[in-house]
Amino acid sequence: MASTYKEPSAVLKRLFLPPKDPSLTLSSDYQWLVITQEPPLPTIEQLAKPEEKLAGIRFDPALFTPSRLDYATSLVLQHMATGEQQSIELPSNSEGIRYIRFHPSKPYFVFTCKVKDETLLELYKCELIDIDGTQQWVVEKVSLGEKRRMNFVYGCAYQFTSDGEKLLVKVIPENWPVEPPKEPVSTGPAIQMVAKDARKAPGRTYQDLLKNEYDEAKLKHFLSTELLCITTSTLDVKLIQQSKGGCLIRSLQPSPCGNFVLVQLTTQFSYSVPMSRFGKDVQIWSLEEKKSSSGDQNDVVVEVASLPVDDEIPLSYDACSRHPRSFHFHPCHDHTVVYVQALDGGESLSEPFEGDRDAMYTRPLDATTMTLASPTKFAGLEWRYSDLDFCESGLGIIEEYRWKDRMERKWILETDGAKRLLWQRSWEDRYTAPGEPLTRRGARGRYFIVQP
């Protein structure tokens, strides 16, 4: 007789399998709270699913998601002012939901639904609509096109633009092979090459690195994506032409004006570091219908930087990459790129350059000619750059750190780049920790420091 796993008694379940704390998501206007409930523990079926381990990431090759995800089985919305709750009925074929993302300014959110007994994820929207004088949340499926599947392997597959007019969705390229390439019979050794002008550096130990060209081919198969642009009001779908055919999108950031997106694309692989340190191109893509010199529509690409594999960082915690890093749009300008670069070569033992180890640069984009201005130094730091937040007025708070004695400094950053010291302290002194600035989502869909 076949044996099966036994269920504990109801008393033991209450003691050792209590319900998991619900997950909470607050709407952009702070008026609604989404409450979702997940199972207390993953099932044996989830734990037994095959997973791929490539370039330091682990994922489900059938669903194109990170390994062993939990899916919420209930969805409740609570009004923050009144406490009134509304239970939302999930789609009839739903096994659970995940990846809730709110619209920047409206009572509107999207989520992913796992289809029951299928290796398929579907996209839905939920919007607050007036029905016969009553405000109700209504769920509607968002069609991505025939046989289009979202790709969550390296982060959430979708995000709203800053103005909320568009939803950007990473999908598996059209007519993409269902199965990854088959492992070939070995025809020779795996060869690694050292780039010209490379410098010696000790290496850390990482898990699940690439080992050969076959691993590279599999990584390209699972991470290649095209980018769709969905108009949130009409749900019309169009392909962003710059991504046609598939590319290895590492990150996306829409511009504050909503017309551009800052894209980081993986271009060079390595067998000694994970994907976060692979070579990359940083580009600006236009989301508007523009014509390039070739006459093609919507394929304008502005090159920001092309960076090699970052495998030369010293082991010191005060060391960093010698290449430009931390690319993002300035939240107070329509389309200005901000980035940081080490002036001491990333070596903590080197002398600062003119008193600065790190410097922050800005490069405004001319939207008419689609060209970037030359880099302008905005601020210099004696220690390593850590973080930067802005008020809607343009005033900022920039943070730097020094690992060797666990010190941190926060500066008030004026709009002209001038700095005023806010505090300098040891981050290990938790009793006197002043906390972090309060932030709220602003008019451009970004989070800003609340300024009195």
Side-chain angles (χ1 to χ4, degrees), residues 423-452:
W423 70 65
Q424 175 177 323
R425 57 181 301 276
S426 169
W427 69 69
E428 292 185 332
D429 185 4
R430 298 186 181 182
Y431 288 102
T432 62
E436 295 295 328
L438 176 65
T439 59
R440 285 185 179 273
R441 193 186 288 265
R444 291 172 176 251
R446 303 297 180 85
Y447 282 92
F448 292 94
I449 298 172
V450 178
Q451 191 173 5

PDB file of all heavy atoms in Angstrom, residues 423-452:
ATOM      1  N   TRP A 423      24.693  66.121   9.411  1.00  0.00           N
ATOM      2  CA  TRP A 423      25.266  65.434  10.574  1.00  0.00           C
ATOM      3  C   TRP A 423      26.403  64.521  10.131  1.00  0.00           C
ATOM      4  O   TRP A 423      26.507  64.125   8.969  1.00  0.00           O
ATOM      5  CB  TRP A 423      24.224  64.661  11.371  1.00  0.00           C
ATOM      6  CG  TRP A 423      23.641  63.435  10.743  1.00  0.00           C
ATOM      7  CD1 TRP A 423      24.269  62.274  10.412  1.00  0.00           C
ATOM      8  CD2 TRP A 423      22.263  63.231  10.389  1.00  0.00           C
ATOM      9  NE1 TRP A 423      23.397  61.368   9.887  1.00  0.00           N
ATOM     10  CE2 TRP A 423      22.156  61.919   9.866  1.00  0.00           C
ATOM     11  CE3 TRP A 423      21.119  64.008  10.496  1.00  0.00           C
ATOM     12  CZ2 TRP A 423      20.950  61.397   9.423  1.00  0.00           C
ATOM     13  CZ3 TRP A 423      19.925  63.480  10.057  1.00  0.00           C
ATOM     14  CH2 TRP A 423      19.846  62.195   9.531  1.00  0.00           C
ATOM     15  N   GLN A 424      27.263  64.218  11.104  1.00  0.00           N
ATOM     16  CA  GLN A 424      28.333  63.244  10.937  1.00  0.00           C
ATOM     17  C   GLN A 424      28.348  62.373  12.178  1.00  0.00           C
ATOM     18  O   GLN A 424      28.411  62.875  13.293  1.00  0.00           O
ATOM     19  CB  GLN A 424      29.686  63.943  10.770  1.00  0.00           C
ATOM     20  CG  GLN A 424      30.865  62.979  10.700  1.00  0.00           C
ATOM     21  CD  GLN A 424      32.182  63.682  10.457  1.00  0.00           C
ATOM     22  OE1 GLN A 424      32.244  64.662   9.718  1.00  0.00           O
ATOM     23  NE2 GLN A 424      33.255  63.196  11.072  1.00  0.00           N
ATOM     24  N   ARG A 425      28.265  61.046  11.993  1.00  0.00           N
ATOM     25  CA  ARG A 425      28.114  60.159  13.131  1.00  0.00           C
ATOM     26  C   ARG A 425      28.538  58.743  12.746  1.00  0.00           C
ATOM     27  O   ARG A 425      28.742  58.443  11.564  1.00  0.00           O
ATOM     28  CB  ARG A 425      26.663  60.139  13.618  1.00  0.00           C
ATOM     29  CG  ARG A 425      25.667  59.731  12.551  1.00  0.00           C
ATOM     30  CD  ARG A 425      24.235  59.746  13.038  1.00  0.00           C
ATOM     31  NE  ARG A 425      24.053  58.854  14.149  1.00  0.00           N
ATOM     32  CZ  ARG A 425      23.829  57.544  14.021  1.00  0.00           C
ATOM     33  NH1 ARG A 425      23.773  56.983  12.831  1.00  0.00           N
ATOM     34  NH2 ARG A 425      23.656  56.796  15.077  1.00  0.00           N
ATOM     35  N   SER A 426      28.645  57.887  13.770  1.00  0.00           N
ATOM     36  CA  SER A 426      28.897  56.470  13.545  1.00  0.00           C
ATOM     37  C   SER A 426      27.553  55.759  13.405  1.00  0.00           C
ATOM     38  O   SER A 426      26.663  55.930  14.245  1.00  0.00           O
ATOM     39  CB  SER A 426      29.670  55.872  14.726  1.00  0.00           C
ATOM     40  OG  SER A 426      29.688  54.448  14.632  1.00  0.00           O
ATOM     41  N   TRP A 427      27.416  54.976  12.333  1.00  0.00           N
ATOM     42  CA  TRP A 427      26.134  54.277  12.156  1.00  0.00           C
ATOM     43  C   TRP A 427      25.972  53.121  13.141  1.00  0.00           C
ATOM     44  O   TRP A 427      24.895  52.548  13.264  1.00  0.00           O
ATOM     45  CB  TRP A 427      25.956  53.808  10.721  1.00  0.00           C
ATOM     46  CG  TRP A 427      26.849  52.705  10.243  1.00  0.00           C
ATOM     47  CD1 TRP A 427      26.834  51.403  10.625  1.00  0.00           C
ATOM     48  CD2 TRP A 427      27.885  52.799   9.251  1.00  0.00           C
ATOM     49  NE1 TRP A 427      27.777  50.669   9.951  1.00  0.00           N
ATOM     50  CE2 TRP A 427      28.437  51.495   9.083  1.00  0.00           C
ATOM     51  CE3 TRP A 427      28.388  53.819   8.475  1.00  0.00           C
ATOM     52  CZ2 TRP A 427      29.459  51.222   8.188  1.00  0.00           C
ATOM     53  CZ3 TRP A 427      29.407  53.539   7.586  1.00  0.00           C
ATOM     54  CH2 TRP A 427      29.938  52.271   7.450  1.00  0.00           C
ATOM     55  N   GLU A 428      27.027  52.774  13.877  1.00  0.00           N
ATOM     56  CA  GLU A 428      26.903  51.751  14.906  1.00  0.00           C
ATOM     57  C   GLU A 428      26.309  52.301  16.201  1.00  0.00           C
ATOM     58  O   GLU A 428      25.908  51.537  17.069  1.00  0.00           O
ATOM     59  CB  GLU A 428      28.267  51.125  15.182  1.00  0.00           C
ATOM     60  CG  GLU A 428      28.790  50.289  14.017  1.00  0.00           C
ATOM     61  CD  GLU A 428      30.082  49.570  14.357  1.00  0.00           C
ATOM     62  OE1 GLU A 428      30.830  50.083  15.216  1.00  0.00           O
ATOM     63  OE2 GLU A 428      30.338  48.500  13.779  1.00  0.00           O
ATOM     64  N   ASP A 429      26.265  53.612  16.333  1.00  0.00           N
ATOM     65  CA  ASP A 429      25.680  54.233  17.525  1.00  0.00           C
ATOM     66  C   ASP A 429      24.173  54.362  17.319  1.00  0.00           C
ATOM     67  O   ASP A 429      23.656  55.415  16.947  1.00  0.00           O
ATOM     68  CB  ASP A 429      26.315  55.607  17.758  1.00  0.00           C
ATOM     69  CG  ASP A 429      25.835  56.250  19.051  1.00  0.00           C
ATOM     70  OD1 ASP A 429      25.079  55.592  19.792  1.00  0.00           O
ATOM     71  OD2 ASP A 429      26.198  57.411  19.303  1.00  0.00           O
ATOM     72  N   ARG A 430      23.473  53.276  17.567  1.00  0.00           N
ATOM     73  CA  ARG A 430      22.043  53.245  17.245  1.00  0.00           C
ATOM     74  C   ARG A 430      21.192  54.041  18.233  1.00  0.00           C
ATOM     75  O   ARG A 430      20.083  54.452  17.905  1.00  0.00           O
ATOM     76  CB  ARG A 430      21.572  51.788  17.201  1.00  0.00           C
ATOM     77  CG  ARG A 430      22.275  50.975  16.124  1.00  0.00           C
ATOM     78  CD  ARG A 430      21.711  49.585  16.002  1.00  0.00           C
ATOM     79  NE  ARG A 430      22.404  48.807  14.976  1.00  0.00           N
ATOM     80  CZ  ARG A 430      22.083  47.573  14.634  1.00  0.00           C
ATOM     81  NH1 ARG A 430      21.073  46.955  15.256  1.00  0.00           N
ATOM     82  NH2 ARG A 430      22.759  46.933  13.687  1.00  0.00           N
ATOM     83  N   TYR A 431      21.705  54.252  19.442  1.00  0.00           N
ATOM     84  CA  TYR A 431      20.906  54.985  20.433  1.00  0.00           C
ATOM     85  C   TYR A 431      20.707  56.440  20.028  1.00  0.00           C
ATOM     86  O   TYR A 431      19.711  57.065  20.399  1.00  0.00           O
ATOM     87  CB  TYR A 431      21.578  54.906  21.808  1.00  0.00           C
ATOM     88  CG  TYR A 431      21.479  53.539  22.446  1.00  0.00           C
ATOM     89  CD1 TYR A 431      22.559  52.660  22.434  1.00  0.00           C
ATOM     90  CD2 TYR A 431      20.293  53.109  23.032  1.00  0.00           C
ATOM     91  CE1 TYR A 431      22.465  51.394  23.004  1.00  0.00           C
ATOM     92  CE2 TYR A 431      20.183  51.850  23.601  1.00  0.00           C
ATOM     93  CZ  TYR A 431      21.279  51.000  23.588  1.00  0.00           C
ATOM     94  OH  TYR A 431      21.178  49.744  24.144  1.00  0.00           O
ATOM     95  N   THR A 432      21.648  57.002  19.309  1.00  0.00           N
ATOM     96  CA  THR A 432      21.530  58.406  18.909  1.00  0.00           C
ATOM     97  C   THR A 432      21.161  58.557  17.437  1.00  0.00           C
ATOM     98  O   THR A 432      21.280  59.652  16.883  1.00  0.00           O
ATOM     99  CB  THR A 432      22.848  59.152  19.167  1.00  0.00           C
ATOM    100  OG1 THR A 432      23.893  58.554  18.372  1.00  0.00           O
ATOM    101  CG2 THR A 432      23.227  59.082  20.641  1.00  0.00           C
ATOM    102  N   ALA A 433      20.745  57.461  16.806  1.00  0.00           N
ATOM    103  CA  ALA A 433      20.405  57.522  15.384  1.00  0.00           C
ATOM    104  C   ALA A 433      19.238  58.484  15.161  1.00  0.00           C
ATOM    105  O   ALA A 433      18.175  58.334  15.769  1.00  0.00           O
ATOM    106  CB  ALA A 433      20.041  56.134  14.875  1.00  0.00           C
ATOM    107  N   PRO A 434      19.402  59.483  14.290  1.00  0.00           N
ATOM    108  CA  PRO A 434      18.328  60.467  14.079  1.00  0.00           C
ATOM    109  C   PRO A 434      17.221  59.990  13.150  1.00  0.00           C
ATOM    110  O   PRO A 434      16.217  60.674  12.986  1.00  0.00           O
ATOM    111  CB  PRO A 434      19.081  61.652  13.454  1.00  0.00           C
ATOM    112  CG  PRO A 434      20.253  61.036  12.779  1.00  0.00           C
ATOM    113  CD  PRO A 434      20.635  59.828  13.581  1.00  0.00           C
ATOM    114  N   GLY A 435      17.399  58.822  12.517  1.00  0.00           N
ATOM    115  CA  GLY A 435      16.366  58.318  11.614  1.00  0.00           C
ATOM    116  C   GLY A 435      16.613  58.763  10.185  1.00  0.00           C
ATOM    117  O   GLY A 435      17.682  59.265   9.836  1.00  0.00           O
ATOM    118  N   GLU A 436      15.602  58.570   9.354  1.00  0.00           N
ATOM    119  CA  GLU A 436      15.693  58.920   7.940  1.00  0.00           C
ATOM    120  C   GLU A 436      14.628  59.950   7.596  1.00  0.00           C
ATOM    121  O   GLU A 436      13.574  60.018   8.235  1.00  0.00           O
ATOM    122  CB  GLU A 436      15.490  57.668   7.067  1.00  0.00           C
ATOM    123  CG  GLU A 436      16.586  56.620   7.221  1.00  0.00           C
ATOM    124  CD  GLU A 436      17.937  57.113   6.744  1.00  0.00           C
ATOM    125  OE1 GLU A 436      17.979  57.928   5.791  1.00  0.00           O
ATOM    126  OE2 GLU A 436      18.964  56.688   7.316  1.00  0.00           O
ATOM    127  N   PRO A 437      14.868  60.771   6.571  1.00  0.00           N
ATOM    128  CA  PRO A 437      13.869  61.779   6.176  1.00  0.00           C
ATOM    129  C   PRO A 437      12.561  61.122   5.729  1.00  0.00           C
ATOM    130  O   PRO A 437      12.559  60.051   5.119  1.00  0.00           O
ATOM    131  CB  PRO A 437      14.541  62.508   5.005  1.00  0.00           C
ATOM    132  CG  PRO A 437      16.004  62.241   5.161  1.00  0.00           C
ATOM    133  CD  PRO A 437      16.108  60.891   5.784  1.00  0.00           C
ATOM    134  N   LEU A 438      11.454  61.763   6.050  1.00  0.00           N
ATOM    135  CA  LEU A 438      10.138  61.299   5.628  1.00  0.00           C
ATOM    136  C   LEU A 438       9.944  61.626   4.148  1.00  0.00           C
ATOM    137  O   LEU A 438      10.205  62.736   3.701  1.00  0.00           O
ATOM    138  CB  LEU A 438       9.045  61.987   6.450  1.00  0.00           C
ATOM    139  CG  LEU A 438       7.594  61.682   6.072  1.00  0.00           C
ATOM    140  CD1 LEU A 438       7.261  60.217   6.323  1.00  0.00           C
ATOM    141  CD2 LEU A 438       6.639  62.593   6.843  1.00  0.00           C
ATOM    142  N   THR A 439       9.517  60.628   3.377  1.00  0.00           N
ATOM    143  CA  THR A 439       9.301  60.836   1.945  1.00  0.00           C
ATOM    144  C   THR A 439       7.850  60.533   1.576  1.00  0.00           C
ATOM    145  O   THR A 439       7.187  59.708   2.214  1.00  0.00           O
ATOM    146  CB  THR A 439      10.230  59.947   1.102  1.00  0.00           C
ATOM    147  OG1 THR A 439       9.990  58.562   1.422  1.00  0.00           O
ATOM    148  CG2 THR A 439      11.697  60.273   1.383  1.00  0.00           C
ATOM    149  N   ARG A 440       7.390  61.209   0.548  1.00  0.00           N
ATOM    150  CA  ARG A 440       6.063  60.963  -0.017  1.00  0.00           C
ATOM    151  C   ARG A 440       6.149  61.052  -1.538  1.00  0.00           C
ATOM    152  O   ARG A 440       7.002  61.748  -2.076  1.00  0.00           O
ATOM    153  CB  ARG A 440       5.033  61.991   0.489  1.00  0.00           C
ATOM    154  CG  ARG A 440       4.588  61.761   1.921  1.00  0.00           C
ATOM    155  CD  ARG A 440       3.492  62.741   2.310  1.00  0.00           C
ATOM    156  NE  ARG A 440       3.022  62.533   3.665  1.00  0.00           N
ATOM    157  CZ  ARG A 440       2.068  61.684   4.008  1.00  0.00           C
ATOM    158  NH1 ARG A 440       1.480  60.961   3.078  1.00  0.00           N
ATOM    159  NH2 ARG A 440       1.694  61.545   5.257  1.00  0.00           N
ATOM    160  N   ARG A 441       5.238  60.353  -2.204  1.00  0.00           N
ATOM    161  CA  ARG A 441       5.208  60.403  -3.653  1.00  0.00           C
ATOM    162  C   ARG A 441       4.749  61.779  -4.107  1.00  0.00           C
ATOM    163  O   ARG A 441       3.736  62.298  -3.638  1.00  0.00           O
ATOM    164  CB  ARG A 441       4.294  59.330  -4.225  1.00  0.00           C
ATOM    165  CG  ARG A 441       4.468  59.130  -5.731  1.00  0.00           C
ATOM    166  CD  ARG A 441       3.447  58.158  -6.259  1.00  0.00           C
ATOM    167  NE  ARG A 441       3.703  56.795  -5.854  1.00  0.00           N
ATOM    168  CZ  ARG A 441       4.369  55.903  -6.575  1.00  0.00           C
ATOM    169  NH1 ARG A 441       4.890  56.264  -7.733  1.00  0.00           N
ATOM    170  NH2 ARG A 441       4.529  54.677  -6.139  1.00  0.00           N
ATOM    171  N   GLY A 442       5.494  62.382  -5.015  1.00  0.00           N
ATOM    172  CA  GLY A 442       5.198  63.725  -5.486  1.00  0.00           C
ATOM    173  C   GLY A 442       4.437  63.739  -6.795  1.00  0.00           C
ATOM    174  O   GLY A 442       3.951  62.718  -7.292  1.00  0.00           O
ATOM    175  N   ALA A 443       4.376  64.932  -7.400  1.00  0.00           N
ATOM    176  CA  ALA A 443       3.568  65.140  -8.595  1.00  0.00           C
ATOM    177  C   ALA A 443       4.091  64.359  -9.795  1.00  0.00           C
ATOM    178  O   ALA A 443       3.332  63.989 -10.685  1.00  0.00           O
ATOM    179  CB  ALA A 443       3.517  66.633  -8.931  1.00  0.00           C
ATOM    180  N   ARG A 444       5.383  64.114  -9.841  1.00  0.00           N
ATOM    181  CA  ARG A 444       5.975  63.417 -10.973  1.00  0.00           C
ATOM    182  C   ARG A 444       6.063  61.909 -10.746  1.00  0.00           C
ATOM    183  O   ARG A 444       6.795  61.210 -11.450  1.00  0.00           O
ATOM    184  CB  ARG A 444       7.373  63.969 -11.263  1.00  0.00           C
ATOM    185  CG  ARG A 444       7.347  65.385 -11.818  1.00  0.00           C
ATOM    186  CD  ARG A 444       8.747  65.949 -11.899  1.00  0.00           C
ATOM    187  NE  ARG A 444       8.756  67.272 -12.509  1.00  0.00           N
ATOM    188  CZ  ARG A 444       9.242  67.516 -13.717  1.00  0.00           C
ATOM    189  NH1 ARG A 444       9.744  66.536 -14.428  1.00  0.00           N
ATOM    190  NH2 ARG A 444       9.227  68.738 -14.218  1.00  0.00           N
ATOM    191  N   GLY A 445       5.364  61.404  -9.770  1.00  0.00           N
ATOM    192  CA  GLY A 445       5.363  59.973  -9.532  1.00  0.00           C
ATOM    193  C   GLY A 445       6.578  59.468  -8.791  1.00  0.00           C
ATOM    194  O   GLY A 445       6.751  58.269  -8.640  1.00  0.00           O
ATOM    195  N   ARG A 446       7.457  60.364  -8.320  1.00  0.00           N
ATOM    196  CA  ARG A 446       8.661  59.985  -7.588  1.00  0.00           C
ATOM    197  C   ARG A 446       8.462  60.290  -6.110  1.00  0.00           C
ATOM    198  O   ARG A 446       7.625  61.112  -5.717  1.00  0.00           O
ATOM    199  CB  ARG A 446       9.878  60.750  -8.110  1.00  0.00           C
ATOM    200  CG  ARG A 446      10.139  60.567  -9.587  1.00  0.00           C
ATOM    201  CD  ARG A 446      10.450  59.115  -9.907  1.00  0.00           C
ATOM    202  NE  ARG A 446      10.711  58.921 -11.321  1.00  0.00           N
ATOM    203  CZ  ARG A 446      11.872  59.106 -11.899  1.00  0.00           C
ATOM    204  NH1 ARG A 446      12.906  59.508 -11.176  1.00  0.00           N
ATOM    205  NH2 ARG A 446      12.030  58.887 -13.189  1.00  0.00           N
ATOM    206  N   TYR A 447       9.295  59.657  -5.277  1.00  0.00           N
ATOM    207  CA  TYR A 447       9.254  59.927  -3.862  1.00  0.00           C
ATOM    208  C   TYR A 447      10.209  61.070  -3.524  1.00  0.00           C
ATOM    209  O   TYR A 447      11.384  61.057  -3.938  1.00  0.00           O
ATOM    210  CB  TYR A 447       9.626  58.664  -3.063  1.00  0.00           C
ATOM    211  CG  TYR A 447       8.492  57.684  -2.991  1.00  0.00           C
ATOM    212  CD1 TYR A 447       8.358  56.669  -3.947  1.00  0.00           C
ATOM    213  CD2 TYR A 447       7.516  57.777  -1.992  1.00  0.00           C
ATOM    214  CE1 TYR A 447       7.312  55.776  -3.898  1.00  0.00           C
ATOM    215  CE2 TYR A 447       6.465  56.876  -1.935  1.00  0.00           C
ATOM    216  CZ  TYR A 447       6.367  55.888  -2.882  1.00  0.00           C
ATOM    217  OH  TYR A 447       5.314  55.007  -2.834  1.00  0.00           O
ATOM    218  N   PHE A 448       9.689  62.063  -2.800  1.00  0.00           N
ATOM    219  CA  PHE A 448      10.457  63.232  -2.407  1.00  0.00           C
ATOM    220  C   PHE A 448      10.450  63.379  -0.883  1.00  0.00           C
ATOM    221  O   PHE A 448       9.495  62.953  -0.211  1.00  0.00           O
ATOM    222  CB  PHE A 448       9.871  64.511  -3.030  1.00  0.00           C
ATOM    223  CG  PHE A 448      10.019  64.576  -4.523  1.00  0.00           C
ATOM    224  CD1 PHE A 448       9.014  64.132  -5.361  1.00  0.00           C
ATOM    225  CD2 PHE A 448      11.168  65.116  -5.091  1.00  0.00           C
ATOM    226  CE1 PHE A 448       9.135  64.200  -6.737  1.00  0.00           C
ATOM    227  CE2 PHE A 448      11.302  65.195  -6.461  1.00  0.00           C
ATOM    228  CZ  PHE A 448      10.283  64.741  -7.288  1.00  0.00           C
ATOM    229  N   ILE A 449      11.489  64.016  -0.370  1.00  0.00           N
ATOM    230  CA  ILE A 449      11.528  64.351   1.046  1.00  0.00           C
ATOM    231  C   ILE A 449      10.454  65.405   1.334  1.00  0.00           C
ATOM    232  O   ILE A 449      10.307  66.366   0.591  1.00  0.00           O
ATOM    233  CB  ILE A 449      12.918  64.891   1.446  1.00  0.00           C
ATOM    234  CG1 ILE A 449      13.988  63.803   1.218  1.00  0.00           C
ATOM    235  CG2 ILE A 449      12.940  65.351   2.890  1.00  0.00           C
ATOM    236  CD1 ILE A 449      15.385  64.309   1.401  1.00  0.00           C
ATOM    237  N   VAL A 450       9.699  65.188   2.399  1.00  0.00           N
ATOM    238  CA  VAL A 450       8.680  66.151   2.792  1.00  0.00           C
ATOM    239  C   VAL A 450       9.374  67.368   3.399  1.00  0.00           C
ATOM    240  O   VAL A 450      10.096  67.247   4.399  1.00  0.00           O
ATOM    241  CB  VAL A 450       7.695  65.541   3.797  1.00  0.00           C
ATOM    242  CG1 VAL A 450       6.674  66.571   4.246  1.00  0.00           C
ATOM    243  CG2 VAL A 450       6.995  64.333   3.170  1.00  0.00           C
ATOM    244  N   GLN A 451       9.189  68.510   2.802  1.00  0.00           N
ATOM    245  CA  GLN A 451       9.864  69.735   3.239  1.00  0.00           C
ATOM    246  C   GLN A 451       8.873  70.622   3.985  1.00  0.00           C
ATOM    247  O   GLN A 451       7.797  70.930   3.456  1.00  0.00           O
ATOM    248  CB  GLN A 451      10.443  70.473   2.032  1.00  0.00           C
ATOM    249  CG  GLN A 451      11.378  71.621   2.383  1.00  0.00           C
ATOM    250  CD  GLN A 451      12.040  72.183   1.143  1.00  0.00           C
ATOM    251  OE1 GLN A 451      11.727  71.778   0.018  1.00  0.00           O
ATOM    252  NE2 GLN A 451      12.954  73.129   1.336  1.00  0.00           N
ATOM    253  N   PRO A 452       9.184  71.020   5.226  1.00  0.00           N
ATOM    254  CA  PRO A 452       8.258  71.876   5.995  1.00  0.00           C
ATOM    255  C   PRO A 452       7.976  73.191   5.280  1.00  0.00           C
ATOM    256  O   PRO A 452       8.821  73.726   4.588  1.00  0.00           O
ATOM    257  CB  PRO A 452       9.009  72.107   7.312  1.00  0.00           C
ATOM    258  CG  PRO A 452      10.013  71.012   7.382  1.00  0.00           C
ATOM    259  CD  PRO A 452      10.406  70.691   5.975  1.00  0.00           C
TER     260      PRO A 452
END
